[in-house]
């Protein structure tokens, strides 16, 4: 785990010391944990200095991630005399469902047809000498015309429970309804 601290040592020129310490704690916990990555899970795996409140404070901090990424690339990846090439590719992740943000139909070259899913644009730096790719940017693709999926999801969820007022058990002996008995005479 001391390796990650050596990698992050170059970031002290652009990050506040508290934010750098929090980033180190979060990164160590993220590398150590298994399963879903949640703030509660991070705080459980973080150890000393990684309380739930510390994790919350870190994720509420505004960080210039592009500057940090450039510092890491310049110091750890950029070598004199080596050729780096920038390459981009779109990635399609198939997904079923109707209420996912950005869900649309994209052409997948793996299936050779249009499939429902999520589209992402990936930009990487490729070192031609070492034949290694380093991802730099990954952004979700969305269409200019927004699909009505979000609005229809909200309408469907509103349409299911159309009862007025609070749910209750109904009237008993003390209810306000009047009981009419049939005439026995």
């Amino acid at each position: 785990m001391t390796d990650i601290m050596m990698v992050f040592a170059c970031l002290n020129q652009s990050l506040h010391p508290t934010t750098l310490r929090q980033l180190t704690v979060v990164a160590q916990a993220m590398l150590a944990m298994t399963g879903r990555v949640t703030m509660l899970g991070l705080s459980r795996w973080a150890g000393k200095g990684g309380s739930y409140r510390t994790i919350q404070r870190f994720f509420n901090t505004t960080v210039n991630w592009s500057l940090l990424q450039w510092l890491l690339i310049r110091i750890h990846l950029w070598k004199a005399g080596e050729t780096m090439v920038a390459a981009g590719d779109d990635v399609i992740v198939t997904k079923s469902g109707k209420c996912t943000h950005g869900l649309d139909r994209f052409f997948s070259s793996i299936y050779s047809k249009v499939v429902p899913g999520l589209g992402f644009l990936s930009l990487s730096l490729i070192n031609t000498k070492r034949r290694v790719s380093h991802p730099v940017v990954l952004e979700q693709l969305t269409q200019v015309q927004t699909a009505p999926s979000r609005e229809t999801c909200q309408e469907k969820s509103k349409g299911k429970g159309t009862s007025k007022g609070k749910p209750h058990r109904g009237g008993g002996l003390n209810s306000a309804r009047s009981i009419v008995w049939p005439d026995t005479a």
Side-chain angles (χ1 to χ4, degrees), residues 106-115:
F106 297 96
F107 178 78
S108 173
S109 58
I110 294 173
Y111 298 111
S112 297
K113 63 180 181 178
V114 177
V115 293

Side-chain angles (χ1 to χ4, degrees), residues 21-86:
R21 186 178 65 249
Q22 291 170 347
L23 175 64
T24 305
V25 167
V26 168
Q28 286 178 345
M30 203 174 290
L31 291 172
M33 69 187 299
T34 60
R36 280 183 67 185
V37 178
T38 61
M39 289 202 310
L40 184 61
L42 286 172
S43 66
R44 288 177 178 162
W45 282 87
K48 186 176 181 182
S51 68
Y52 187 78
R53 186 70 182 125
T54 301
I55 306 295
Q56 280 182 323
R57 285 186 187 117
F58 173 73
F59 284 111
N60 282 330
T61 306
T62 303
V63 178
N64 187 354
W65 292 106
S66 57
L67 175 66
L68 297 183
Q69 213 166 18
W70 171 244
L71 285 171
L72 289 170
I73 289 169
R74 190 183 71 198
I75 293 174
H76 295 291
L77 300 178
W78 201 269
K79 305 288 185 213
E82 291 184 351
T83 305
M84 299 285 272
V85 177

